[in-house]
């Protein structure tokens, strides 16, 4: 029987960038137009990757800005982060930069499993952040970068498989659990 490993992942970013839509697309496989709850929500899903099984526990947060103080529950016992901005909002990109700095300090400046997501890629005529800027920022953190659209199931799925892989990659670079 494969081992079921528990992974807690927190989704952070400025409000309205698509955090809830991405989590919902991943768990339910659908995009909900105009669905915008502002409360914190959690989701659970069993994810199979090759021979391994993971119990992914996702925490969808209400949204932060550059002044937010991150609670301990976003740091302690968290395996990885999905940091989301919207490609149509430069401000949301600046917010993920500041969130990363806070997380990095909160974790004692160790290497963090992070997937940086530029969401709303379907709205490219309104683009304010180029893909190359997202890629560069993620590289400076040693993290993975993806552009996504919560409207597209495939892309939303791959974010959450990537964060599981990223957690394994960072763990392996420190040796076994
Ligand atoms: P959150 O506040 O970050 O959780 O953002 P929501 O998931 O509530 O999304 C905010 C708004 O953006 C909603 O009206 C969504 O329908 C819309 N939205 C989310 N993701 C996308 C996307 O990838 N493309 C487009 N066009 N709209 C999106």
């Amino acid at each position: 029987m494969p081992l079921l490993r528990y992974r807690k992942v927190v989704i952070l970013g400025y409000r309205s960038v698509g955090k809830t839509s991405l989590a919902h697309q991943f768990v339910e496989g659908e995009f909900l137009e105009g669905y915008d709850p502002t409360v914190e929500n959690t989701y659970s899903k069993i994810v199979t990757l090759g021979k391994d099984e993971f119990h992914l526990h996702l925490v969808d947060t209400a949204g932060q800005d550059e002044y937010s103080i991150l609670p301990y529950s976003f740091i302690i016992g968290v395996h990885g982060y999905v940091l989301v901005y919207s490609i149509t909002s430069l401000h949301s990109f600046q917010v993920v930069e500041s969130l990363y700095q806070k997380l990095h300090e909160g974790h004692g400046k160790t290497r963090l499993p992070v997937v940086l997501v530029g969401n709303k890629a379907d709205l490219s005529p309104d683009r304010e952040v180029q893909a190359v800027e997202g890629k560069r920022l993620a590289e400076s953190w040693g993290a993975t970068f993806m552009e996504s659209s919560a409207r597209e199931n495939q892309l939303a799925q791959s974010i959450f498989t990537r964060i599981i892989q990223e957690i394994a990659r960072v763990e392996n670079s420190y040796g076994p659990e």
Side-chain angles (χ1 to χ4, degrees), residues 27-44:
V27 177
E28 308 291 345
E30 61 178 6
F31 179 66
L32 286 182
E33 201 74 53
Y35 176 77
D36 194 5
T38 45
V39 290
E40 188 171 314
N41 212 337
T42 62
Y43 302 83
S44 273

Side-chain angles (χ1 to χ4, degrees), residues 11-24 31-39 60-63 84 86 88 118-123 148-152:
I11 309 172
L12 296 170
Y14 192 52
R15 74 180 97 93
S16 242
V17 295
K19 297 179 297 300
T20 300
S21 302
L22 288 169
H24 189 87
F31 179 66
L32 286 182
E33 201 74 53
Y35 176 77
D36 194 5
T38 45
V39 290
D60 172 27
T61 64
V84 187
S86 166
T88 63
N119 191 41
K120 306 199 185 184
D122 56 295
L123 299 180
S148 72
S149 165
R151 289 173 175 272
E152 291 174 48

